[in-house]
Amino acid sequence: EAQVTQNPRYLITVTGKKLTVTCSQNMNHEYMSWYRQDPGLGLRQIYYSMNVEVTDKGDVPEGYKVSRKEKRNFPLILESPSPNQTSLYFCASSLGQGIGELFFGEGSRLTVL
Amino acid sequence: QQQVKQSPQSLIVQKGGISIINCAYENTAFDYFPWYQQFPGKGPALLIAIRPDVSEKKEGRFTISFNKSAKQFSLHIMDSQPGDSATYFCAPVSSGSARQLTFGSGTQLTVLP
């Protein structure tokens, strides 16, 4: 089954404790991206990757890091989480640039105390 | 930067009625115009999309209308059903860009039984 898998789905952590949210897709997609969803603000792009070893900032990259060492994986790293990073996070992938449909994961709800 | 403006923010419709959601954009380089549907606790999923070479596309009860000169496109849901209750996002994209995506702010649709 074609899918984008995120882990963990739910996480409660404390300020400053490094964490990683993993994202993996099994569709051989070149393009992958991360979004955060907050009430009243919709979906905002954090980082995106056009292909392996190619990443770029989205609209709200501060406080986040990403890496794309393999085509299928695109982890989101919070080196020193803060309460303002409490949010619902989505990973998504698509075939490539200009090839329309985005496939989203189920989401990871993060709470930073 | 507000490249994409979606309206209304929320919409309540009676079962069997017509739901209309609008998306206005500024970037004339956009060439793929999708609508995503998101149910609570789930990631967004592509509902319907249009390319600018046509002015309308219909899939079942869902229709996209595209007005290139006005730089806007709309989602029409005919014979709205309670199962259509969800949040809807527009997310136009340019295939010539580096694929930095901007989503509309979302429309929460409630269809009353």
Side-chain angles (χ1 to χ4, degrees):
Chain A
E1 181 190 353
Q3 60 186 5
V4 177
T5 304
Q6 297 178 225
N7 281 296
R9 294 288 313 280
Y10 302 91
L11 179 63
I12 300 175
T13 190
V14 296
T15 299
K17 186 175 181 182
K18 180 179 178 180
L19 68 92
T20 299
V21 186
T22 64
C23 174
S24 180
Q25 50 91 5
N26 64 0
M27 295 169 278
N28 200 35
H29 284 171
E30 290 190 349
Y31 179 87
M32 297 186 73
S33 57
W34 276 102
Y35 302 86
R36 61 177 290 174
Q37 186 173 31
D38 302 289
L41 296 176
L43 285 155
R44 293 180 292 168
Q45 192 177 51
I46 303 170
Y47 270 94
Y48 64 97
S49 169
M50 300 296 292
N51 212 326
V52 175
E53 301 293 358
V54 181
T55 64
D56 209 344
K57 297 176 181 178
D59 293 323
V60 288
E62 296 78 19
Y64 305 94
K65 285 177 58 177
V66 293
S67 68
R68 187 92 181 273
K69 292 183 171 57
E70 304 167 281
K71 197 172 187 178
R72 64 183 292 128
N73 296 323
F74 191 44
L76 180 70
I77 303 157
L78 286 73
E79 293 271 2
S80 182
S82 62
N84 65 12
Q85 292 178 297
T86 293
S87 187
L88 178 59
Y89 291 87
F90 288 100
C91 179
S93 72
S94 71
L95 276 172
Q97 180 181 356
I99 302 175
E101 181 178 359
L102 270 177
F103 292 83
F104 283 83
E106 293 278 274
S108 297
R109 184 166 292 281
L110 171 65
T111 302
V112 183
L113 301 176
Chain B
Q1 70 209 37
Q2 188 165 12
Q3 292 188 47
V4 178
K5 197 167 186 179
Q6 186 176 336
S7 62
Q9 194 170 11
S10 63
L11 182 61
I12 300 174
V13 174
Q14 291 285 342
K15 179 181 175 182
I18 301 173
S19 305
I20 302 175
I21 305 171
N22 300 299
C23 188
Y25 61 93
E26 297 172 3
N27 188 346
T28 55
F30 288 150
D31 56 5
Y32 177 73
F33 301 90
W35 286 97
Y36 287 85
Q37 180 187 54
Q38 183 182 26
F39 293 106
K42 298 291 186 181
L46 180 68
L47 179 63
I48 188 171
I50 198 169
R51 297 257 179 211
D53 51 341
V54 296
S55 60
E56 187 173 283
K57 181 177 180 180
K58 186 175 181 180
E59 291 184 358
R61 296 183 294 107
F62 301 93
T63 299
I64 288 185
S65 297
F66 177 66
N67 187 329
K68 189 174 182 178
S69 60
K71 292 189 287 184
Q72 62 182 29
F73 61 110
S74 302
L75 174 67
H76 297 238
I77 306 174
M78 312 300 286
D79 186 27
S80 298
Q81 299 296 312
D84 298 330
S85 297
T87 302
Y88 294 81
F89 296 95
C90 61
V93 66
S94 167
S95 56
S97 78
R99 197 60 196 266
Q100 184 175 352
L101 273 179
T102 299
F103 278 77
S105 55
T107 297
Q108 188 161 354
L109 172 65
T110 303
V111 181
L112 301 175

